[in-house]
């Protein structure tokens, strides 16, 4: 325990040094910091950077960045190396921040496949140092800005979740708003207009150094293929500050929809407006599209936006049932992606032990259950649960490979000789054999659970 305490103190040595400097400067004293934190209006504070570099704020930022881990940026520095680097360089960094001369490095461009399989999503990974500073800025600004955001906004906000967003959508539908105007903003994070965004930021911040720092993060550039390109628009996904800035941009949309009296739910750039008729939906679609294009300088993805029944659309991976009783269900696309990922893991078992495969499955299944277990169609989860276990039995059967090995493994797990022999010599493929009585006995649900394979169904 003492070793851990010493380690924490070493990692935070740069903060202790900064605190000493702050005590010698009355403008940066604790009374001023407390007064700034208590300011009611986001625009009242003119010395926000002093709040950013406050010891407790930086301590919290370091803890968060280390917990989030993540890949290195273009300088190759890992999260584990950050405390040591700060111990050596913090006084200089702090002075650059307070003087308004800090210059972020370019972000590392990486691409990941979109969840719906529709293509690749571009991420911009800042350096670990820049992530640390962005996190510190985020903590200060979020405290001030978040309480001013719309109650219809659910994404990237403390204490709000996808579950609340989906539940609110369900409530609107249940109240008779049986048509949805489903907007998809095309490449939203890549197309945010910097000047318009900074205009919104300037309405809330009077500290010019903070404005300059945020602009510097936006204009830091992108490294791709070893070359750095300037960024003239967009707020790269991958940095801690981007979600807050995106909410600030779309807060203008929220206020417009509220002024028009619409019932809507927005989660990041995914916005659904609920109306009573298709005709009303078409009218709202055209009107709001004009606002998004002309006022926000953003583009609506025509192919992914539509006016339809909510049961025909997906929202945050969910959809809704038809009939008298409205229930949340998992969208077909989400089920398809789930099965694709399970197939990838179980087919990959050929090159690794089943212990590793089960561990990888467990991590994915637990995360998926934590998100989609919120559905109200338990029979779907039960079916997927059985399907996952069958995929695992297939993986075992492939690994055993030969008839002799399969016979031995079945007998070892308590299957009688004749049944084991007949199953081991069966001509069917792994998927066919996976539902055989022998494999069901040898690799029972209880046995797979004892290996750490979780169930998608509560109570199992």
């Amino acid at each position: 325990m003492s070793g851990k305490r010493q380690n924490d103190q070493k990692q935070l040595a740069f903060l202790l040094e900064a605190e000493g400097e702050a005590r010698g400067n009355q403008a940066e004293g604790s009374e001023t910091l407390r007064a700034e934190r208590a300011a009611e209006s986001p625009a009242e504070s003119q010395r926000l950077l002093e709040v950013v570099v406050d010891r407790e704020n930086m301590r919290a930022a370091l803890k968060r960045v280390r917990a989030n881990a993540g890949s290195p940026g273009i300088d190759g520095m890992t999260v584990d190396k950050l405390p040591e680097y700060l111990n050596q360089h913090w006084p200089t960094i702090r002075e650059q921040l307070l003087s308004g001369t800090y210059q972020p490095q370019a972000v590392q461009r990486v691409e990941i496949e979109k969840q719906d399989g529709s293509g690749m999503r571009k991420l911009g990974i800042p350096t670990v140092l820049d992530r640390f500073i962005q996190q510190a800025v985020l903590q200060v600004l979020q405290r001030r800005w978040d309480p001013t955001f719309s109650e219809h906004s659910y994404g990237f906000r403390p204490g709000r979740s996808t579950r609340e967003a989906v539940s609110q959508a369900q409530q609107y539908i249940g109240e008779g708003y049986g048509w949805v105007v489903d907007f998809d903003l095309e490449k939203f994070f890549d197309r945010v207009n910097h000047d318009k965004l900074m205009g919104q930021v300037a309405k809330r911040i009077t500290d010019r150094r903070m404005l300059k720092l945020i602009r510097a993060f936006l204009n830091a550039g992108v490294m791709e293929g070893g070359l750095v390109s300037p960024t003239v628009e967009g707020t790269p996904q991958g940095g801690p500050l981007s979600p807050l800035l995106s909410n600030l941009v779309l807060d203008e949309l929220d206020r417009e929809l509220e002024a028009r009296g619409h019932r809507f739910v927005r989660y990041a750039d995914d916005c659904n407006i609920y109306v009573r008729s298709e005709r009303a939906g078409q009218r709202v679609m055209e009107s709001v599209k004009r606002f998004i294009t002309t006022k926000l300088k953003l583009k609506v993805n025509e192919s992914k936006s539509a006016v339809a029944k909510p049961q025909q659309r997906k929202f945050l991976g969910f959809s809704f049932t038809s009939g008298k009783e409205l229930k949340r269900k998992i969208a077909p696309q989400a089920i398809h992606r789930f099965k694709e990922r399970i197939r990838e893991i179980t087919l990959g078992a050929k090159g690794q032990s089943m212990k590793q495969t089960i561990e990888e499955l467990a991590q994915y299944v637990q995360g998926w259950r934590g998100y989609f277990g919120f559905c109200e169609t338990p029979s779907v989860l039960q079916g997927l649960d059985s399907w996952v276990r069958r995929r695992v039995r297939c993986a075992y059967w492939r690994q055993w490979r030969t008839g002799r090995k399969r016979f031995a493994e079945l007998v070892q797990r308590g299957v009688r000789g004749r049944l084991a022999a007949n199953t081991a010599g069966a001509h069917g493929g792994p998927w066919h054999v996976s539902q055989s009585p022998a494999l069901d006995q040898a690799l029972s649900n209880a046995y797979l659970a004892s290996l750490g394979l979780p169930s998608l169904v509560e109570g199992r």
Side-chain angles (χ1 to χ4, degrees):
M1 197 66 184
S2 61
K4 182 181 184 297
R5 189 180 299 113
Q6 291 174 356
N7 186 45
D8 289 344
Q9 290 175 347
K10 180 179 180 182
Q11 290 168 351
L12 296 173
F14 79 99
L15 295 176
L16 297 174
E17 180 179 353
E19 182 188 36
E21 294 177 8
R23 285 173 177 164
N25 189 330
Q26 185 175 359
E28 297 168 16
S30 59
E31 292 181 4
T32 302
L33 292 175
R34 283 195 294 270
E36 287 175 335
R37 288 193 184 110
E40 294 181 1
S41 170
E44 284 181 11
S45 175
Q46 297 184 19
R47 298 184 65 80
L48 280 181
L49 274 169
E50 278 72 18
V51 185
V52 168
V53 300
D54 173 46
R55 177 191 176 203
E56 292 304 317
N57 188 58
M58 302 308 285
R59 182 200 297 272
L62 180 60
K63 183 177 180 180
R64 172 64 67 179
V65 169
R66 297 190 72 212
N68 289 343
S71 303
I74 64 172
D75 61 356
M77 185 192 299
T78 62
V79 171
D80 291 337
K81 295 290 185 181
L82 179 60
E84 180 182 349
Y85 181 85
L86 291 172
N87 282 334
Q88 297 178 24
H89 301 285
W90 175 243
T92 301
I93 297 168
R94 182 175 181 275
E95 177 56 35
Q96 289 174 348
L97 289 169
L98 292 176
S99 64
T101 59
Y102 181 82
Q103 185 57 52
Q105 296 189 66
V107 300
Q108 178 72 57
R109 173 72 80 205
V110 297
E111 292 187 347
I112 62 171
E113 187 175 357
K114 292 183 179 179
Q115 289 188 346
D116 59 7
S118 62
M120 304 301 289
R121 184 185 303 279
K122 292 184 177 181
L123 299 182
I125 308 300
T127 64
V128 172
L129 175 61
D130 285 338
R131 294 208 296 268
F132 166 66
I133 294 172
Q134 283 195 36
Q135 179 64 37
V137 171
L138 168 68
Q139 291 166 179
V140 171
L141 296 186
Q142 193 166 54
R143 286 196 298 266
R144 287 161 167 74
W145 295 1
D146 192 78
T148 72
F149 288 154
S150 168
E151 65 177 13
H152 300 279
S153 168
Y154 292 86
F156 309 127
R157 299 186 61 188
R160 307 207 117 199
S161 67
T162 55
R163 291 191 172 196
E164 291 178 317
V166 174
S167 293
Q168 182 60 70
Q170 184 178 13
Q171 181 176 329
Y172 287 144
I173 300 167
E175 292 171 353
Y177 296 86
W179 287 83
V180 62
V181 184
D182 186 356
F183 281 101
D184 183 271
L185 299 179
E186 188 171 310
K187 298 181 179 178
F188 167 71
F189 285 91
D190 296 331
R191 291 186 169 168
V192 171
N193 182 285
H194 285 181
D195 291 336
K196 186 161 186 59
L197 169 58
M198 290 307 301
Q200 291 293 100
V201 174
K203 292 178 181 179
R204 296 168 176 260
I205 292 177
T206 56
D207 189 330
R208 293 189 177 185
R209 300 163 303 167
M210 180 71 88
L211 294 174
K212 186 176 179 181
L213 179 62
I214 294 174
R215 172 74 81 165
F217 278 122
L218 293 174
N219 295 341
V222 174
M223 176 174 282
E224 195 168 10
L227 299 176
V228 176
S229 303
T231 46
V232 295
E233 63 178 0
T235 170
Q237 296 183 73
L241 198 52
S242 291
L244 179 65
L245 296 179
S246 72
N247 271 334
L248 181 62
V249 170
L250 293 176
D251 186 60
E252 192 172 351
L253 173 62
D254 296 340
R255 299 309 176 189
E256 178 67 18
L257 296 180
E258 286 177 346
R260 298 183 184 189
H262 288 311
R263 288 158 178 81
F264 70 98
V265 180
R266 184 178 66 77
Y267 192 98
D269 56 339
D270 200 344
C271 182
N272 281 3
I273 306 171
Y274 295 89
V275 296
R276 290 190 181 275
S277 69
E278 182 178 14
R279 184 177 178 182
Q282 295 293 352
R283 190 167 58 245
V284 169
M285 171 68 83
E286 292 305 313
S287 176
V288 176
K289 192 189 304 180
R290 283 195 301 272
F291 177 83
I292 291 173
T293 303
T294 59
K295 296 292 186 180
L296 301 185
K297 308 299 182 185
L298 297 170
K299 186 176 180 180
V300 174
N301 188 326
E302 301 282 353
S303 64
K304 293 185 177 182
S305 301
V307 176
K309 286 290 202 178
Q311 291 81 0
Q312 299 170 346
R313 306 293 292 177
K314 65 180 177 67
F315 181 53
L316 303 176
F318 289 88
S319 187
F320 302 95
T321 60
S322 302
K324 293 183 179 180
E325 190 174 2
L326 182 70
K327 294 183 178 181
R328 297 182 297 272
K329 70 175 186 177
I330 306 169
Q333 301 93 321
I335 292 176
H336 175 74
R337 290 196 301 271
F338 173 79
K339 288 189 170 184
E340 285 295 304
R341 181 61 185 136
I342 296 297
R343 287 189 185 99
E344 288 177 6
I345 296 173
T346 51
L347 286 174
K350 293 179 181 178
Q352 62 183 10
S353 70
M354 283 306 300
K355 181 177 183 295
Q356 291 173 304
T357 299
I358 295 292
E359 288 175 353
E360 190 174 356
L361 277 174
Q363 184 177 9
Y364 178 70
V365 169
Q366 285 171 346
W368 198 88
R369 182 182 65 186
Y371 188 91
F372 287 105
F374 176 58
C375 76
E376 296 174 314
T377 50
S379 62
V380 174
L381 293 179
Q382 290 167 1
L384 289 175
D385 204 38
S386 298
W387 183 84
V388 169
R389 290 193 294 269
R390 192 173 170 187
R391 290 294 311 178
V392 173
R393 293 179 183 121
C394 280
Y396 269 102
W397 198 247
R398 289 191 190 94
Q399 280 211 347
W400 293 341
R401 299 184 65 181
T402 67
R404 180 175 296 181
K405 174 70 171 174
R406 288 167 175 171
F407 174 78
E409 292 287 351
L410 291 174
V411 170
Q412 182 181 342
R413 287 169 168 78
V415 180
R416 291 176 309 191
R418 177 169 293 184
L419 179 58
N422 290 339
T423 306
H427 296 296
W431 184 247
H432 174 75
V433 178
S434 65
Q435 60 180 352
S436 67
L439 231 59
D440 191 54
Q441 179 184 344
L443 301 172
S444 66
N445 295 351
Y447 175 73
L448 295 180
S450 72
L451 297 179
L453 182 66
S455 172
L456 290 171
V457 182
E458 291 292 337
R460 282 194 182 180

